[in-house]
Amino acid sequence: MKVWLYENRDIRVKELMEKLRIKLLGHYRYYGVSHNSTMISTFRHRTLEYLFKILNRRSNRKSYSWEGFNEMLKYYKHHIQRYILAYLIKSECYYEEPYAEKLHIRF
């Protein structure tokens, strides 16, 4: 995400936030299981830190303070929601193979 943010730091903020929302949503859908919420929130936190950093490096002067950055995130509030889409019901998950009792020989 850090590399992607640095490569796309010159596009408009509205477009950047829309693309970032799509990337985060894909990440949450792929990695969003119930036992992975700590890493999801860490990823989100680090992404927002890098976003703050690249937005402040777009010009010679500082664009956002932390207060202004949080106000901007409130404006784009749908971009920072956490999506945990899959939940594991059992603590131990195992998969049953359909031909487990038969031997398979592969050549």
Side-chain angles (χ1 to χ4, degrees):
M1 185 61 81
K2 178 181 177 180
V3 172
W4 182 84
L5 283 170
Y6 274 97
E7 289 173 353
N8 293 292
R9 68 180 168 197
D10 56 343
I11 62 176
R12 291 181 26 213
V13 175
K14 183 177 181 178
E15 294 174 22
L16 179 68
M17 293 304 287
E18 180 61 28
K19 289 181 180 182
L20 181 63
R21 182 189 69 82
I22 292 169
K23 289 186 87 54
L24 285 176
L25 182 61
H27 184 84
Y28 295 158
R29 285 183 177 168
Y30 188 80
Y31 293 105
V33 293
S34 61
H35 299 292
N36 201 19
S37 61
T38 305
M39 293 306 291
I40 290 275
S41 61
T42 302
F43 181 80
R44 179 183 159 271
H45 180 74
R46 296 284 184 225
T47 300
L48 292 178
E49 284 179 348
Y50 288 128
L51 180 64
F52 177 77
K53 192 173 184 178
I54 64 125
L55 288 177
N56 280 326
R57 290 188 176 192
R58 289 165 54 121
S59 64
N60 289 334
R61 51 176 270 220
K62 194 172 181 180
S63 300
Y64 291 100
S65 63
W66 279 108
E67 293 82 21
F69 182 70
N70 287 328
E71 288 296 319
M72 189 263 307
L73 289 179
K74 286 179 186 176
Y75 180 74
Y76 294 106
K77 65 182 175 185
H78 61 281
H79 296 283
I80 59 170
Q81 292 175 349
R82 235 172 45 175
Y83 299 95
I84 304 297
L85 300 174
Y87 295 95
L88 297 176
I89 297 172
K90 295 181 180 179
S91 61
E92 293 181 24
C93 210
Y94 62 92
Y95 298 97
E96 187 176 315
E97 295 182 21
Y99 302 106
E101 67 275 353
K102 297 181 183 177
L103 294 176
H104 295 282
I105 300 173
R106 296 184 186 197
F107 295 98

